[in-house]
Amino acid sequence: MDGLVFYSLVSSFLLIAIYGAVKVSYSLWWKPKWLERRLRQQGIQGTPYKFLLGDMKEYIRMITEAWSKPLTLNHHIVQRVDPFTLHVVQQYGKISMFWNGKAPRLIISDPVLMQEVLSNKLGHIQKPLLNPLILVLARGLTVLEGEKWAIHRRLINPAFHMEKLKGMIPVFATTCNKMIEQWKKKIGDESSFELDVWPELQKVAKDIISQAAFGSSYEEGKKIFQLQQELVILTIEAMRSLYIPGFRFVPTKKNLRRKTLNTQITSMLRDLVQMKQNAIRTGQSKVDDLLSLLLHSSEQENSGNSKLNSMTVEEVIEECKVFYLAGQETTASLLTWTMIVLAMHPEWQEKARQEVLQVCGKKEPDFEALTHLKIVTMIVNEVLRLYPPAIALYQHTYKDTKIGDINIPAGVDLLLPTMLIHRDPEFWGYDAEEFKPERFSEGISKASKNHLAFFPFGWGPRTCIGQNFSLLEAKTVLAMVLQHFSFELSPSYSHAPYTIMTLQPQHGAQIIIHQI
């Protein structure tokens, strides 16, 4: 009898071991090879699958080498910013593939197919599963899907209507004025001084989003954002190392600090949200900042419908985190590259300044003035084309779907290379790598041979909700800087674009400022 029990246990163990081995083999080898075969049968070329790691080793090698040395002073930056994607497209074509670990990543460099991906009419394509470390930073609109995303988008939309944004322009101007006065003090009796404008523009963007998001509670919001900045730095640092599932729960010093920061930020935001709710209900607070507008929209929805169509306090907290991350990084990146590019092209800097002085004089720009800054708008669009804050968009097929003539099975990552499409000579001409703001003299739709070839804020239903906020802020700050200063690149500036969430200057943006 004991022998039968032993035999039964051994048999069960073997069956479990065989089942586990088969499951692991399927996940790590047979499924990737099956997906590879499905794509190659349709004529899609790319790198062969390498067990478990895919192309990650080569990707890291190429980007490490590229980031180790700066470029000469021109706009041919793709080989430094995203060398591996460029290599795959050059070798295998605009529709090609490589391997993100055991998942095939299909590059789609065709604007028409890109439009189909982002319109997602069948609902088979969504955001890829994110590294859990990213989700610590924010779980708001940028990562939601389906009905939950639709509810949040509808509730947040009123806060970004143009009429509401017009009222925020004085906030942009007041905050920028503080920066300008600080720059003037640094110049003092000298004719000029050198300044790294990257941290300066990050600071002004943080101050603006703090003021715009929290209004009278600006100082409290600023403290929260300072903690979140520390959390961002620790999270990025962890993401640069090899990801080991579950390691974030090991009580190391940095893991514990991340947990503490997240708890503090969430607690402080919860208190701020509840104070704002009470102030709105008692009439002690105007509905004029992003947080109060968001709470007001949610309260109105909740009063007439099921709570399923409104946001919980926890969800509002997550959206506040998104305001900060998306609101300041994108605009700071755009402003920094605009100043660098205008320092490289003084003739366009002077054209922009003359336009600003003609339209605004020395007065702070208002909404009406910003709409008349045609040259400034052309410059901003051309900088967004050459230096988009997000260099690519990422999607994932959760069900079999068809894009154009391509049948894409479930389980495939999709890469829409914004920077590559923005520089494709097929759409932008032989001078696609050159800075030529006149491309946009007749607007975005006529700037290229395909109006879909320009999408710095995404496209379709998931276009960045803060696009107009960012553009108005950038134009306001740029116009005011041009009113007071001229600038040129410092000899110490090293042209080294790279990506850490957004496109950034790796070694700073050293510029020599001259007061006008």
Side-chain angles (χ1 to χ4, degrees):
M1 190 70 177
D2 290 343
L4 287 174
V5 172
F6 177 75
Y7 177 77
S8 177
L9 288 173
V10 170
S11 298
S12 298
F13 177 78
L14 286 173
L15 285 172
I16 292 171
I18 291 169
Y19 173 76
V22 169
K23 193 172 181 180
V24 169
S25 296
Y26 173 76
S27 175
L28 299 183
W29 183 256
W30 298 112
K31 184 178 179 181
K33 293 300 289 183
W34 177 79
L35 290 171
E36 181 179 19
R37 186 167 64 253
R38 285 281 305 274
L39 294 171
R40 290 193 187 280
Q41 284 171 347
Q42 300 176 75
I44 296 170
Q45 299 300 308
T47 61
Y49 175 59
K50 302 176 188 69
F51 182 74
L52 189 60
L53 293 177
D55 290 307
M56 290 304 98
K57 185 176 180 181
E58 181 65 8
Y59 174 89
I60 292 170
R61 185 195 67 78
M62 288 183 70
I63 207 160
T64 301
E65 182 181 339
W67 289 4
S68 67
K69 50 186 180 296
L71 296 169
T72 54
L73 205 57
N74 59 53
H75 305 300
H76 298 249
I77 67 170
V78 182
Q79 66 268 30
R80 185 181 206 276
V81 175
D82 195 8
F84 189 79
T85 305
L86 178 64
H87 166 74
V88 173
V89 169
Q90 288 177 336
Q91 187 165 354
Y92 299 107
K94 292 183 181 181
I95 309 298
S96 51
M97 60 178 283
F98 66 95
W99 293 88
N100 177 33
K102 58 190 178 67
R105 180 162 283 179
L106 182 62
I107 300 170
I108 298 178
S109 300
D110 180 292
V112 176
L113 296 182
M114 177 208 74
Q115 180 186 21
E116 287 193 46
V117 170
L118 295 177
S119 60
N120 190 24
K121 294 176 182 177
L122 296 175
H124 295 173
I125 301 171
Q126 296 181 0
K127 292 274 188 180
L129 289 174
L130 295 174
N131 186 318
L133 289 167
I134 284 284
L135 296 177
V136 171
L137 298 177
R139 296 173 181 264
L141 191 66
T142 52
V143 300
L144 294 175
E145 294 288 351
E147 186 178 358
K148 182 66 74 173
W149 170 83
I151 291 169
H152 281 227
R153 180 88 182 198
R154 186 178 70 252
L155 292 173
I156 295 171
N157 263 332
F160 289 94
H161 284 167
M162 192 57 77
E163 286 304 311
K164 297 292 184 184
L165 296 181
K166 288 180 186 178
M168 292 184 183
I169 292 175
V171 172
F172 302 162
T174 300
T175 308
C176 185
N177 256 330
K178 292 178 183 177
M179 180 186 75
I180 287 171
E181 290 306 312
Q182 289 171 356
W183 288 8
K184 286 181 178 179
K185 287 180 182 177
K186 289 180 181 179
I187 290 178
D189 296 329
E190 303 296 324
S191 60
S192 62
F193 78 108
E194 181 177 314
L195 179 70
D196 183 354
V197 298
W198 170 233
E200 294 284 316
L201 294 171
Q202 281 183 302
K203 183 178 183 300
V204 81
K206 288 173 190 173
D207 286 353
I208 284 173
I209 199 67
S210 299
Q211 184 79 30
F214 298 111
S216 59
S217 302
Y218 159 68
E219 287 301 330
E220 290 90 337
K222 193 173 178 182
K223 292 172 188 174
I224 293 166
F225 288 160
Q226 287 169 349
L227 292 177
Q228 197 171 21
Q229 179 63 22
E230 184 184 348
L231 181 58
V232 168
I233 292 168
L234 285 172
T235 300
I236 291 172
E237 184 180 307
M239 289 176 64
R240 287 176 180 170
S241 59
L242 178 65
Y243 174 65
I244 302 172
F247 182 75
R248 69 187 189 279
F249 300 114
V250 177
T252 63
K253 183 178 178 180
K254 289 184 178 179
N255 282 348
L256 289 172
R257 181 57 181 163
R258 276 194 294 273
K259 184 178 179 180
T260 299
L261 285 169
N262 189 42
T263 301
Q264 285 181 315
I265 291 163
T266 302
S267 176
M268 291 170 73
L269 277 169
R270 185 181 294 109
D271 291 343
L272 194 55
V273 167
Q274 289 173 346
M275 283 195 317
K276 183 71 76 170
Q277 278 180 320
N278 293 334
I280 292 172
R281 287 168 183 165
T282 57
Q284 297 175 16
S285 174
K286 294 181 180 179
V287 183
D288 58 356
D289 54 65
L290 292 177
L291 176 57
S292 58
L293 287 165
L294 184 56
L295 290 169
H296 183 68
S297 297
S298 192
E299 289 277 339
Q300 283 187 323
E301 194 77 24
N302 192 19
S303 64
N305 297 294
S306 162
K307 285 189 176 183
L308 293 173
N309 291 322
S310 62
M311 278 193 232
T312 65
V313 169
E314 298 303 319
E315 288 171 333
V316 171
I317 288 169
E318 293 304 317
E319 295 301 346
C320 288
K321 294 177 184 179
V322 172
F323 287 160
Y324 168 73
L325 288 173
Q328 65 97 6
E329 283 289 338
T330 300
T331 311
S333 171
L334 170 56
L335 279 167
T336 300
W337 290 116
T338 302
M339 287 196 70
I340 290 171
V341 170
L342 287 181
M344 293 168 66
H345 299 274
E347 72 283 6
W348 279 102
Q349 181 186 153
E350 189 55 32
K351 286 179 184 178
R353 181 176 295 103
Q354 291 306 316
E355 180 184 62
V356 170
L357 293 174
Q358 182 179 349
V359 172
C360 307
K362 287 283 189 175
K363 293 189 295 186
E364 293 176 2
D366 56 19
F367 180 78
E368 181 67 21
L370 293 176
T371 62
H372 287 90
L373 296 179
K374 182 179 178 181
I375 292 174
V376 168
T377 300
M378 287 160 49
I379 288 169
V380 168
N381 283 334
E382 182 70 343
V383 173
L384 282 169
R385 184 183 74 83
L386 291 170
Y387 297 85
I391 66 167
L393 302 178
Y394 300 91
Q395 298 288 300
H396 183 83
T397 57
Y398 287 88
K399 294 182 180 179
D400 292 3
T401 192
K402 187 172 184 179
I403 301 297
D405 295 327
I406 307 171
N407 291 300
I408 307 176
V412 176
D413 290 339
L414 305 177
L415 169 61
L416 311 176
T418 308
M419 182 171 278
L420 264 65
I421 295 175
H422 277 191
R423 295 162 175 273
D424 191 330
E426 180 183 343
F427 311 119
W428 298 95
Y430 68 93
D431 55 359
E433 298 273 10
E434 302 305 317
F435 177 71
K436 292 196 169 182
E438 61 266 32
R439 300 178 204 277
F440 292 93
S441 60
E442 296 182 64
I444 290 171
S445 62
K446 295 184 180 180
S448 65
K449 294 176 184 176
N450 188 321
H451 70 281
L452 299 172
F454 183 70
F455 55 105
F457 293 96
W459 186 90
R462 296 201 70 139
T463 299
C464 175
I465 197 170
Q467 173 178 343
N468 290 330
F469 182 99
S470 181
L471 289 173
L472 284 175
E473 179 186 343
K475 289 177 188 178
T476 302
V477 173
L478 179 60
M480 293 180 69
V481 168
L482 288 168
Q483 284 175 319
H484 296 275
F485 306 101
S486 64
F487 44 92
E488 60 184 305
L489 286 178
S490 166
S492 63
Y493 172 69
S494 178
H495 196 44
Y498 81 143
T499 50
I500 299 293
M501 293 182 72
T502 56
L503 187 65
Q504 303 177 8
Q506 185 178 1
H507 307 301
Q510 295 78 15
I511 282 176
I512 297 175
I513 304 286
H514 304 271
Q515 186 171 341
I516 296 175

